[in-house]
Amino acid sequence: MTGVICAMEIEMKNIREGMTVTSEKEYAGVKFVEGKKFGKDIVVAVCGVGKVFAAICTQTMIDNYKPDIILNVGVAGGLSSSLDVKDVVIADQLIQHDMDATALGCKKGEIYGAGTSSYRYFPANSYVIDRIKESAEIVNSERKKAGREPLRIFTGTVASGDLFVSDKEKKAELRDEFQAMACEMEGAAIAQVCCVNKVRFGVIRAISDSADEGSKMDFGVFCKEAADNSAELVDMFIKRS
Ligand code: ADE
C-alpha cells in the first residue's frame, strides 16, 4: 500500500479524485481515507501545515495502515534561480532548517543527541526516487503526445521548517547553509518519522512561489497549478505501483 500525505486540501484534491473509498477514519484529528486508485491500494491524509502535524500524521498512518511507501506531496518555495513556478522538485534529501543546536556544538539542522549517528540530512529512498523519476518521464511523454508543455523536473535538497519563507535573506541562508533547492514545512518531519520506522518515502513538491518578498502573492496565484503538477506525478506513481 502507498500512503500519500499532503499538508493542505488543495494539494490532495486531484489525488483523491477517482479513488474508490473503502474506509474513512479519524485519528488525532486527521482523516485517513483508504481505498483504491487505478486498482492499487492507497491511503491518503491531509495532515495540516507544519512539522508537528506532519509527524503526528505520518506515525499514525504507519501504525494503522502499514504502508510500504509514503509520499509527501504538494507545493514549495523555490530557492534556486533555475526554478520557475510550477517546476517540480523531487527531494533526494531533506533537512529541518529550523533545528538549531549550534550552541551545543551541532551543525545547523543537526538533531542533537539523536542516537549514535547524528541526524541532519535525511536521504529519501533511492528506489522511490527512481520510481518517481520514471513516472515523470511517462507523464512528460503523455503530455507531449497531448500537445501539453512538459513538466520541468529537478532533483535536490528540500529544507523544511515551521516558517513560510518570504524574504530574500532567509532564502539565501537556506540556499547557502543547506544547499537547498526548495523549502516547505513538512517534508523533513515526515522523513524523520519514516526513517525511525524504516519506511521508504519520497517527497514531490512543485514550486508555488520564490520564497521571497513576492511569495505571498505568488502562492495565492500559483498554488493550485503547482499542486496539480505534483499530483499528476503521484497518479502515475500509483498507477505503476
Ligand atoms: N510552501 C510553499 N511556499 C513556501 C514558502 N515560501 N515557505 C515555506 N513553505 C512553502
Side-chain angles (χ1 to χ4, degrees), residues 75-78 161 163-166 183-185 205 208-212 215 219:
V75 299
L163 173 71
F164 186 85
V165 181
S166 58
C183 60
E184 37 82 309
M185 302 173 76
R205 295 279 184 163
S208 56
D209 58 85
S210 302
D212 56 18
S215 66
F219 182 82

Short mmCIF file of all heavy atoms in Angstrom, two decimals, residues 75-78 161 163-166 183-185 205 208-212 215 219, ligand 1:
data_model
loop_
_atom_site.label_atom_id
_atom_site.label_comp_id
_atom_site.label_asym_id
_atom_site.label_seq_id
_atom_site.Cartn_x
_atom_site.Cartn_y
_atom_site.Cartn_z
N VAL A 75 3.30 21.60 -2.59
CA VAL A 75 3.96 22.76 -3.16
C VAL A 75 5.13 23.18 -2.26
O VAL A 75 5.24 22.74 -1.12
CB VAL A 75 2.97 23.93 -3.35
CG1 VAL A 75 1.86 23.54 -4.31
CG2 VAL A 75 2.39 24.42 -2.02
N ALA A 76 5.99 24.06 -2.80
CA ALA A 76 7.16 24.52 -2.06
C ALA A 76 7.58 25.88 -2.59
O ALA A 76 7.20 26.28 -3.69
CB ALA A 76 8.31 23.52 -2.21
N GLY A 77 8.39 26.56 -1.80
CA GLY A 77 9.03 27.79 -2.26
C GLY A 77 10.33 27.42 -2.98
O GLY A 77 11.06 26.54 -2.52
N GLY A 78 10.59 28.07 -4.07
CA GLY A 78 11.81 27.80 -4.84
C GLY A 78 12.98 28.62 -4.31
O GLY A 78 12.85 29.82 -4.10
N GLY A 161 10.79 23.60 7.59
CA GLY A 161 10.78 24.28 8.88
C GLY A 161 9.44 24.93 9.11
O GLY A 161 8.64 25.09 8.17
N LEU A 163 8.15 27.72 9.08
CA LEU A 163 8.28 29.11 8.62
C LEU A 163 7.88 29.17 7.15
O LEU A 163 8.39 28.38 6.34
CB LEU A 163 9.75 29.54 8.75
CG LEU A 163 10.12 30.90 8.16
CD1 LEU A 163 9.54 32.03 9.01
CD2 LEU A 163 11.64 31.06 8.07
N PHE A 164 6.96 30.09 6.83
CA PHE A 164 6.69 30.35 5.42
C PHE A 164 7.74 31.37 4.97
O PHE A 164 7.74 32.52 5.42
CB PHE A 164 5.26 30.90 5.22
CG PHE A 164 4.90 31.04 3.76
CD1 PHE A 164 4.39 29.97 3.05
CD2 PHE A 164 5.12 32.24 3.10
CE1 PHE A 164 4.08 30.09 1.70
CE2 PHE A 164 4.81 32.37 1.75
CZ PHE A 164 4.29 31.30 1.06
N VAL A 165 8.66 30.94 4.16
CA VAL A 165 9.82 31.77 3.80
C VAL A 165 9.38 32.85 2.82
O VAL A 165 8.83 32.55 1.75
CB VAL A 165 10.96 30.91 3.21
CG1 VAL A 165 12.17 31.77 2.86
CG2 VAL A 165 11.36 29.81 4.19
N SER A 166 9.63 34.11 3.19
CA SER A 166 9.14 35.20 2.35
C SER A 166 10.08 36.41 2.38
O SER A 166 9.63 37.54 2.28
CB SER A 166 7.73 35.61 2.80
OG SER A 166 7.78 35.99 4.16
N CYS A 183 11.96 24.98 -0.33
CA CYS A 183 11.63 24.97 1.11
C CYS A 183 10.14 24.74 1.27
O CYS A 183 9.33 25.17 0.45
CB CYS A 183 12.03 26.28 1.77
SG CYS A 183 11.23 27.74 1.08
N GLU A 184 9.81 24.03 2.31
CA GLU A 184 8.40 23.80 2.67
C GLU A 184 8.32 23.54 4.17
O GLU A 184 9.29 23.85 4.88
CB GLU A 184 7.77 22.68 1.79
CG GLU A 184 8.68 21.53 1.45
CD GLU A 184 8.78 20.49 2.52
OE1 GLU A 184 9.04 20.84 3.69
OE2 GLU A 184 8.64 19.31 2.20
N MET A 185 7.24 22.99 4.66
CA MET A 185 7.02 23.00 6.10
C MET A 185 6.74 21.62 6.71
O MET A 185 6.39 21.55 7.88
CB MET A 185 5.90 24.00 6.44
CG MET A 185 6.24 25.40 5.94
SD MET A 185 4.90 26.61 6.10
CE MET A 185 4.97 26.97 7.83
N ARG A 205 7.48 17.97 -4.71
CA ARG A 205 6.99 19.33 -4.45
C ARG A 205 7.11 20.18 -5.70
O ARG A 205 8.18 20.25 -6.31
CB ARG A 205 7.85 19.97 -3.34
CG ARG A 205 7.73 19.29 -1.99
CD ARG A 205 6.49 19.74 -1.27
NE ARG A 205 6.38 19.18 0.06
CZ ARG A 205 5.57 19.67 1.01
NH1 ARG A 205 4.85 20.72 0.79
NH2 ARG A 205 5.50 19.10 2.19
N SER A 208 5.44 26.88 -5.95
CA SER A 208 4.30 27.81 -5.96
C SER A 208 4.75 29.26 -5.87
O SER A 208 3.96 30.17 -6.16
CB SER A 208 3.37 27.51 -4.78
OG SER A 208 4.10 27.57 -3.56
N ASP A 209 6.01 29.48 -5.45
CA ASP A 209 6.49 30.86 -5.21
C ASP A 209 8.00 30.82 -5.06
O ASP A 209 8.59 29.74 -4.97
CB ASP A 209 5.85 31.43 -3.93
CG ASP A 209 6.16 30.58 -2.73
OD1 ASP A 209 7.23 30.76 -2.11
OD2 ASP A 209 5.37 29.68 -2.42
N SER A 210 8.61 31.99 -5.01
CA SER A 210 10.07 32.05 -4.97
C SER A 210 10.62 32.34 -3.57
O SER A 210 11.77 32.76 -3.43
CB SER A 210 10.59 33.10 -5.95
OG SER A 210 10.14 32.79 -7.23
N ALA A 211 9.83 32.13 -2.55
CA ALA A 211 10.28 32.24 -1.16
C ALA A 211 10.92 33.59 -0.85
O ALA A 211 11.80 33.68 0.00
CB ALA A 211 11.25 31.09 -0.83
N ASP A 212 10.44 34.63 -1.55
CA ASP A 212 10.97 35.97 -1.27
C ASP A 212 9.80 36.94 -1.03
O ASP A 212 8.68 36.49 -0.76
CB ASP A 212 11.90 36.44 -2.40
CG ASP A 212 11.20 36.39 -3.75
OD1 ASP A 212 9.94 36.34 -3.77
OD2 ASP A 212 11.90 36.40 -4.78
N SER A 215 6.41 36.16 -2.38
CA SER A 215 5.92 34.79 -2.23
C SER A 215 4.45 34.70 -1.83
O SER A 215 3.74 33.81 -2.28
CB SER A 215 6.79 34.00 -1.25
OG SER A 215 6.68 34.51 0.04
N PHE A 219 2.10 32.62 -4.17
CA PHE A 219 1.48 31.44 -3.57
C PHE A 219 -0.03 31.43 -3.87
O PHE A 219 -0.58 30.40 -4.26
CB PHE A 219 1.73 31.44 -2.05
CG PHE A 219 1.19 30.25 -1.34
CD1 PHE A 219 1.88 29.05 -1.31
CD2 PHE A 219 -0.04 30.31 -0.68
CE1 PHE A 219 1.37 27.94 -0.64
CE2 PHE A 219 -0.56 29.21 0.00
CZ PHE A 219 0.16 28.02 0.02
N1 ADE B 1 5.35 26.19 0.72
C1 ADE B 1 5.13 26.87 -0.42
N2 ADE B 1 5.85 28.00 -0.45
C2 ADE B 1 6.52 28.06 0.71
C3 ADE B 1 7.41 29.00 1.28
N3 ADE B 1 7.74 30.12 0.64
N4 ADE B 1 7.91 28.74 2.52
C4 ADE B 1 7.57 27.61 3.17
N5 ADE B 1 6.72 26.70 2.69
C5 ADE B 1 6.20 26.91 1.46
#
